[in-house]
Amino acid sequence: MIQLKEGVYWVGAVDWDINNFHGYITHRGTTYNSYLLVSDKIALVDTVKAPFYETMLRHIKEIVDPAKIDYIISNHAEPDHSGSLARFHREEAPQAEIIATAHGQKIITKYHGDIPITTTKEMPEVNLGDKTITFVPVPMAHWPDSMVSYIPEDKLLLSNDAFGQHIASTGRFNDQVDQDELWQEALTYYANILMPLNRSVDRALKALDGVTIDMIAPSHGVIWRKDIGDILTKYISWVAGENKEKVVIAYDSMWKSTQNLAYAIAEGVGSEGVECKVFNLTSRHRSDVMAAILEARAVLVGSPTLNNNVFPPVASFLAYMRGLKPMNKFGAGFGSYGWAGGAKKLVEEQMQLAGIEIMESDIDVTFRPTDDEWKIAYEFGVNVAKKVKE
Ligand code: FEO
């Protein structure tokens, strides 16, 4: 039994095996966090992904008889949080009143059929006795229905997707896991899930302005109970699109020419003392590249021209990055071709659509880079680093 506060319990499930979360590689698994609040009345906040139903049920039964639960609160209807809702309501707690936002009501009905749901407009908070749960809608942080639940008596925020990390662990709190892994996963999660929703996350943070919080319990990963100002500061920085003196090069190559250009540019960047990470888009996953891009100032994308087009692994990455809309970056395309080029221009068009300001460049060589062309690529890297430092 895992207790967050007096009468507040974690009753979720750990998924050690998942490695692909709707297209995002989750190297360290994840958790689906449900919380049980026990006072004069009892509330379950969120459920778990359907295959983990039995685990959640076992955790709940360790604490209360499900037949005594008064409310099932759905902070978010995405199936990783509502997948067990209808079954739990039908089989274990038909007496419980389900509460969701109006959007949540519609989405739950689409996924689970017509079940009675009270909306947060009708019931903006519930009183459990010595605990009150206040519902704060935070639309588009992650879906239109998203909301967070705040318990003022415990200074506890049940933040749903916000502040999450895809990390499976035996420790349930942020001070019980490897810190490097935790911060890497918090960053990777923000980059791949929340980055395109910056404005919504910003509105959510503003909606919570002035609210006293000493614990943040998200729906994925560990619960922030120690130094919670650190994760709040990180979110403020990510929402604002703040970046560091870093460069990311993402490329793929057919006959190592674009690869040689990528390495030459990286050497040039490094010669100025600026950190540069290089990712081959066949051997590295796009979600890891986006994690590196979150705090980078410059993004360079290299592609050979194949059949008058962008090399497919690069095209796939560009589509992904365009959806995530990284903020406050500049960059350029580069590459090699045989007799008819075109990939560099197409790459830069997609980068612009992703919101990246294009820096003028001419790193587009035929067949393989000559020594002179290698030097030009190196010098381009030097200039990128200088611009990063401006
Ligand atoms: Fe973890 Fe938007 O669901």
Side-chain angles (χ1 to χ4, degrees):
M1 178 187 308
I2 292 159
Q3 183 163 287
L4 284 69
K5 300 263 185 179
E6 185 70 35
V8 182
Y9 304 89
W10 177 86
V11 290
V14 181
D15 184 349
W16 294 94
D17 296 334
I18 189 169
N19 66 0
N20 187 327
F21 196 98
H22 54 51
Y24 153 17
I25 292 297
T26 47
H27 300 286
R28 296 187 171 98
T30 194
T31 71
Y32 313 106
N33 297 341
S34 305
Y35 298 100
L36 191 70
L37 282 69
V38 181
S39 183
D40 299 340
K41 292 192 169 183
I42 301 171
L44 175 67
V45 179
D46 286 322
T47 61
V48 297
K49 197 173 167 183
F52 295 85
Y53 175 85
E54 300 291 344
T55 304
M56 178 191 77
L57 185 59
R58 188 176 69 250
H59 287 148
I60 292 170
K61 284 183 172 175
E62 283 168 6
I63 301 160
V64 297
D65 175 357
K68 295 192 171 147
I69 291 176
D70 298 282
Y71 303 104
I72 302 172
I73 292 152
S74 174
N75 275 340
H76 182 23
E78 195 167 3
D80 48 333
H81 309 298
S82 76
S84 296
L85 189 155
R87 182 178 169 194
F88 180 74
H89 184 252
R90 184 177 63 250
E91 295 182 7
E92 301 288 340
Q95 77 290 343
E97 183 172 4
I98 301 171
I99 302 170
T101 61
H103 277 297
Q105 181 187 43
K106 286 184 195 144
I107 298 168
I108 290 167
T109 302
K110 284 291 284 185
Y111 275 115
H112 303 289
D114 206 6
I115 47 178
I117 297 170
T118 302
T119 69
T120 52
K121 271 199 177 141
E122 299 164 292
M123 191 180 280
E125 65 176 35
V126 296
N127 191 307
L128 301 180
D130 67 354
K131 295 182 195 304
T132 314
I133 310 178
T134 303
F135 307 120
V136 183
V138 290
M140 293 315 299
H142 177 220
W143 279 14
D145 66 304
S146 296
M147 70 171 185
V148 299
S149 294
Y150 176 63
I151 297 95
E153 296 84 353
D154 293 323
K155 301 184 180 68
L156 171 64
L157 181 70
L158 306 180
S159 63
N160 195 261
D161 278 333
F163 305 106
Q165 337 87 46
H166 284 315
I167 183 165
S169 56
T170 48
R172 294 272 59 78
F173 296 94
N174 67 318
D175 51 304
Q176 296 177 324
V177 295
D178 182 286
Q179 295 301 293
D180 290 341
E181 289 185 3
L182 171 62
W183 286 103
Q184 181 59 44
E185 293 307 330
L187 178 148
T188 303
Y189 181 100
Y190 190 93
N192 285 280
I193 293 185
L194 297 175
M195 183 152 62
L197 309 169
N198 273 334
R199 285 192 199 149
S200 307
V201 179
D202 189 34
R203 276 195 298 273
L205 291 174
K206 288 191 168 83
L208 296 166
D209 203 22
V211 172
T212 308
I213 299 168
D214 73 8
M215 188 181 287
I216 299 173
S219 290
H220 296 292
V222 297
I223 296 153
W224 304 91
R225 71 175 174 187
K226 187 163 188 288
D227 300 328
I228 69 162
D230 293 351
I231 186 66
L232 287 167
T233 302
K234 273 289 179 197
Y235 262 61
I236 289 164
S237 157
W238 292 333
V239 161
E242 288 177 7
N243 48 50
K244 298 179 177 168
E245 288 185 1
K246 289 183 177 181
V247 177
V248 169
I249 300 177
Y251 81 96
D252 210 338
S253 202
M254 290 169 64
W255 296 105
K256 295 189 178 295
S257 297
T258 305
Q259 181 188 56
N260 280 331
L261 292 171
Y263 286 14
I265 296 167
E267 274 194 47
V269 174
S271 73
E272 285 291 310
V274 170
E275 186 185 344
C276 182
K277 297 269 191 214
V278 182
F279 295 89
N280 176 289
L281 292 167
T282 292
S283 57
R284 304 295 294 276
H285 196 267
R286 57 182 177 263
S287 48
D288 293 332
V289 183
M290 289 312 303
I293 286 175
L294 177 64
E295 293 185 334
R297 177 80 187 94
V299 181
L300 309 174
V301 180
S303 175
T305 298
L306 177 68
N307 299 327
N308 303 316
N309 216 321
V310 177
F311 201 44
V314 182
S316 164
F317 166 73
L318 288 167
Y320 190 65
M321 181 166 70
R322 188 176 158 188
L324 291 175
K325 300 184 185 71
M327 282 174 74
N328 300 335
K329 316 289 177 200
F330 74 88
F334 64 94
S336 69
Y337 62 96
W339 48 97
K344 178 179 186 293
K345 180 168 174 285
L346 293 169
V347 163
E348 290 184 342
E349 284 172 4
Q350 290 301 309
M351 291 175 74
Q352 275 184 303
L353 289 169
I356 296 171
E357 176 199 329
I358 298 302
M359 174 182 180
E360 202 169 317
S361 66
D362 191 22
I363 314 299
D364 199 17
V365 310
T366 54
F367 296 105
R368 63 181 291 274
T370 61
D371 287 349
D372 283 346
E373 286 166 333
W374 191 97
K375 281 180 197 146
I376 290 168
Y378 177 94
E379 283 306 322
F380 174 63
V382 171
N383 289 333
V384 168
K386 287 181 176 164
K387 190 169 162 66
V388 159
K389 291 193 281 189
E390 276 172 8

